[in-house]
Amino acid sequence: MTSSDVRIPTAATTEATTPAAGSLDAQAVGRRILSTAFVRVGPDGYLTVEEHGGRTLVLRDVTMGKHDYCGIQALPDGTTGKICAAYGDVVAARAGGGPTHSD
């Protein structure tokens, strides 16, 4: 290895591999919002999550991971599907919001 083979990290190379401080803040805020609502989930098991861009998710069986959360999405037509999203996408969350009809 010669001295020309040694690469010293520069600001350009470290920025590409390190998440922006703003995204870390968004992740922390989103996780806090979701966890606060998560502990309030009632017997119906539903959690409503609002995301940036106006998307609203009604989920059940929510699990919270290190970087994201997952749950079974309850769609208006009665179908379901697993969905995972990043904490940074969360704007608001509340317990409840599931279907009101009885199956």
Side-chain angles (χ1 to χ4, degrees), residues 4-99:
S4 62
D5 294 328
V6 176
R7 293 186 182 225
I8 299 170
T10 63
T13 58
T14 55
E15 285 176 15
T17 58
T18 306
S23 69
L24 292 175
D25 292 341
Q27 290 284 1
V29 169
R31 185 177 175 91
R32 185 177 22 195
I33 290 168
L34 193 64
S35 64
T36 300
F38 184 81
V39 298
R40 294 185 176 135
V41 170
D44 68 354
Y46 286 99
L47 182 69
T48 300
V49 180
E50 295 177 32
E51 294 185 335
H52 292 283
R55 183 167 82 155
T56 300
L57 305 170
V58 178
L59 305 171
R60 63 180 169 78
D61 299 332
V62 176
T63 59
M64 295 181 63
K66 186 173 183 179
H67 301 288
D68 62 359
Y69 64 96
C70 298
I72 304 299
Q73 186 175 16
L75 300 170
D77 65 1
T79 61
T80 61
K82 184 174 181 177
I83 188 166
C84 295
Y87 293 118
D89 296 336
V90 176
V91 174
R94 62 180 166 77

